């Protein structure tokens, strides 16, 4: 019997070694080709019978089209529409920064029109890098979760209103709501203030470190904090109509590191016969402008940080006798948006350790994994730290 047990243990170790070898060599990196080759048609009009210039203009048209095609593949259609002027000025107008090589395959002249079929090699990594620096979220990018702690004082208010103070608020302040709606429309995930049974009783100017720590406890990746104020402005309209000016001054911080990610100060002036409504309108306008500016700044820093992000350790318990379930879990993790690479670190009879390169925080990876459904087993994510996710397989 002892020989049988020894043989059984030896076979189990061999099986684990085989599984470790198979999954350890698996790397689920996203397509990271630095150069993309395209065949693009360019068109131009021949002016004053100058065929040479017409040909070159057709080639130039093809080169811009090739860069534009890569941009369309890297960004969502909504982002391209919203930021087209910025893309045109910074990327399409600088096509030579991204064209590595090109070759005219054929051309055709019809009347005063010349068309050229051009094979173009585009430096995709350069396009992606510069789009990220502009704060444009790449398709499939993982957006950070944002918590707002923005105090507000309208025209007739004696003091600031804010949700972390001595009284509960049933809704966001005007400028905070405008910023939240703007960033959410861009793709960011907004963390709602907690439903407090008792007020936090923190001062309006609580230390930034305390605010960042609170944002971390609430599951945010980014904290936006600051002030919004509205007051009467010099009246240039005459009559009963008055002018009201609002200023929104906010800063963004990376919750994990505490480092700043951006700052903006936006103003808005409106006219209204009612001072409260005028102040609200001005605060909303300044909040929308602040949200647009912050979205660009935060995403630029976030994507650069994610490109340099440390690997998240994923530890899975309960793998003993359930290797098939673990393999399906590993496949699900590797297929999540934002996962660039997955590698095995170690495997023991009842546990597997993986290293996951992910464009986001450990919390956002855990949240994404919780949305997955598995046939024949479940998962229990019982601990999440900034660098580690611990999972237990739940088998029937």
């Amino acid at each position: 019997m002892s020989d049988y047990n020894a043989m059984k243990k030896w076979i189990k170790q061999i099986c684990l070694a085989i599984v470790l070898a198979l999954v350890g060599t698996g790397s689920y990196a996203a397509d990271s080709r630095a150069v993309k080759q395209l065949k693009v048609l360019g068109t131009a009009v021949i002016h004053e019978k100058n065929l040479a210039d017409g040909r070159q203009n057709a080639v130039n048209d093809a080169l811009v089209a090739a860069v534009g095609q890569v941009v369309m593949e890297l960004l969502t259609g909504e982002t391209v529409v919203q930021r087209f002027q910025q893309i045109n000025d910074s990327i399409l107008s600088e096509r030579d920064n991204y064209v590595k090589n090109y070759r005219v395959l054929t051309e055709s002249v019809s009347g005063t029109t010349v068309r050229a079929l051009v094979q173009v090699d585009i430096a995709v990594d350069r396009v992606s890098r510069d789009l990220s620096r502009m704060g444009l979220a790449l398709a499939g990018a993982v957006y950070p979760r944002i918590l707002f702690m923005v105090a507000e004082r309208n025209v007739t208010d004696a003091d600031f209103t804010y949700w972390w103070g001595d009284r509960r608020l049933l809704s966001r302040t005007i400028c905070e709501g405008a910023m939240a709606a703007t960033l959410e429309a861009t793709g960011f995930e907004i963390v709602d203030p907690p439903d407090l049974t008792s007020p936090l009783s923190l001062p309006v100017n609580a230390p930034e470190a305390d605010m960042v720590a609170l944002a971390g406890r609430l599951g945010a990746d980014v904290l936006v904090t600051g002030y919004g104020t509205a007051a009467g402005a010099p009246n240039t309209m005459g009559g009963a109509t008055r002018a009201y000016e609002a200023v929104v001054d906010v800063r963004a911080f990376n919750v994990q590191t505490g480092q700043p990610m951006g700052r903006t100060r936006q103003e808005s002036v409106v006219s209204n016969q009612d001072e409260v409504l005028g102040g609200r309108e001005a605060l909303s306008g300044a909040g929308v402008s602040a949200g647009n500016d912050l979205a660009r700044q935060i995403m630029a820093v976030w994507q650069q940080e994610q490109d340099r992000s440390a690997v998240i350790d994923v530890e899975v318990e309960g793998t003993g006798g359930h290797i098939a379930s673990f393999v399906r879990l590993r496949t699900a993790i590797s297929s999540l948006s934002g996962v660039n690479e997955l590698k095995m670190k170690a495997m023991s009879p009842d546990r597997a350790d993986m290293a996951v390169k992910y464009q986001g925080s450990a919390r956002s990876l855990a949240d994404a994994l919780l949305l997955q459904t598995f046939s024949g087993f479940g998962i229990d994510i019982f601990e999440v730290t900034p660098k580690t996710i611990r999972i237990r397989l739940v088998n029937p």
Side-chain angles (χ1 to χ4, degrees):
M1 190 66 175
S2 60
D3 290 341
Y4 171 77
N5 290 334
M7 177 68 72
K8 185 177 180 181
K9 183 177 180 180
W10 178 77
I11 293 174
K12 188 175 184 179
Q13 290 175 341
I14 292 296
C15 291
L16 284 173
I18 293 173
V19 171
L20 181 58
L22 289 174
V23 298
T25 57
S27 175
Y28 295 85
D31 185 2
S32 58
R33 290 176 297 176
V35 177
K36 185 178 184 69
Q37 189 173 90
L38 302 168
K39 292 182 176 65
V40 186
L41 188 66
T43 304
V45 175
I46 303 171
H47 295 285
E48 299 179 356
K49 299 182 180 181
N50 192 332
L51 181 57
D53 285 353
R55 286 170 171 166
Q56 187 58 55
N57 290 336
V59 170
N60 293 341
D61 183 57
L63 299 182
V64 173
V67 175
Q69 184 171 326
V70 170
V71 169
M72 289 294 295
E73 292 175 359
L74 290 173
L75 301 178
T76 64
E78 182 179 359
T79 300
V80 173
V81 171
Q82 292 178 346
R83 301 292 186 89
F84 183 74
Q85 187 63 53
Q86 186 181 7
I87 294 168
N88 181 65
D89 295 343
S90 301
I91 303 294
L92 302 182
S93 298
E94 303 294 333
R95 59 144 204 268
D96 291 343
N97 292 337
Y98 313 107
V99 175
K100 293 182 69 69
N101 298 291
Y102 72 88
R103 181 164 64 95
V104 178
L105 300 178
T106 186
E107 66 178 41
S108 176
V109 177
S110 178
T112 59
T113 301
V114 57
R115 293 183 176 87
L117 182 62
V118 186
Q119 179 175 290
V120 190
D121 294 335
I122 299 294
V124 178
D125 55 341
R126 296 178 190 172
V127 179
S128 175
R129 176 201 63 194
D130 289 350
L131 290 173
S132 296
R133 289 176 177 175
M134 291 162 57
L136 302 180
L138 305 182
V142 177
Y143 285 80
R145 294 159 52 89
I146 298 182
L147 176 72
F148 287 92
M149 297 180 70
V150 182
E152 180 177 277
R153 184 172 61 196
N154 202 348
V155 179
T156 60
D157 294 340
D159 206 348
F160 281 99
T161 300
Y162 55 102
W163 63 261
W164 59 96
D166 294 326
R167 57 194 178 101
R168 296 176 61 191
L169 295 182
L170 299 179
S171 61
R172 295 184 183 275
T173 58
I174 302 302
C175 64
E176 187 177 276
M179 282 187 288
T182 301
L183 268 73
E184 188 171 34
T186 307
F188 291 88
E189 184 176 352
I190 307 302
V191 177
D192 291 327
D195 186 9
L196 301 170
T197 56
S198 60
L200 293 176
S201 299
L202 295 174
V204 64
N205 58 345
E208 289 175 352
D210 293 348
M211 290 187 172
V212 169
L214 175 59
R217 292 195 295 272
L218 295 176
D221 301 306
V222 176
L223 167 69
V224 173
T225 182
Y227 303 90
T229 59
N235 187 1
T236 60
M237 302 297 294
T241 301
R242 295 191 56 193
Y244 301 94
E245 180 181 26
V247 176
V248 173
D249 191 338
V250 290
R251 305 174 305 282
F253 295 91
N254 183 312
V255 170
Q256 184 172 330
T257 65
Q259 295 299 308
M261 300 181 72
R263 180 169 188 169
T264 186
R265 186 181 190 275
Q266 300 293 326
E267 301 178 3
S268 176
V269 179
V270 303
S271 59
N272 199 300
Q273 294 183 355
D274 185 282
E275 58 184 348
V276 174
L277 294 179
R280 290 169 63 92
E281 186 180 347
L283 286 165
S284 179
V288 169
S289 298
N292 284 323
D293 194 28
L294 273 185
R296 176 186 57 81
Q297 295 183 53
I298 291 173
M299 204 61 198
V301 176
W302 176 257
Q303 291 193 152
Q304 291 177 27
E305 289 179 349
Q306 298 316 302
D307 289 342
R308 305 190 300 266
S309 63
V311 172
I312 299 172
D313 290 330
V314 178
E315 301 173 0
V316 183
E317 298 181 1
T319 58
H322 304 287
I323 293 300
S325 298
F326 166 69
V327 171
R328 288 199 293 271
L329 172 62
R330 176 185 59 78
T331 301
I333 294 175
S334 68
S335 64
L336 290 174
S337 176
V339 172
N340 292 332
E341 189 175 24
L342 182 152
K343 293 182 178 179
M344 292 299 304
K345 293 176 59 180
M347 195 162 186
S348 60
D350 199 42
R351 172 173 157 172
D353 294 346
M354 297 174 287
V356 180
K357 187 174 182 181
Y358 179 66
Q359 292 182 342
S361 65
R363 170 59 60 185
S364 62
L365 176 59
D367 289 344
L369 194 54
L370 283 174
L371 297 176
Q372 303 293 306
T373 56
F374 303 97
S375 177
F377 72 101
I379 60 172
D380 172 24
I381 301 179
F382 62 90
E383 184 178 1
V384 180
T385 71
K387 297 293 183 182
T388 305
I389 300 175
R390 292 185 173 90
I391 303 171
R392 183 179 296 110
L393 291 181
V394 180
N395 289 280

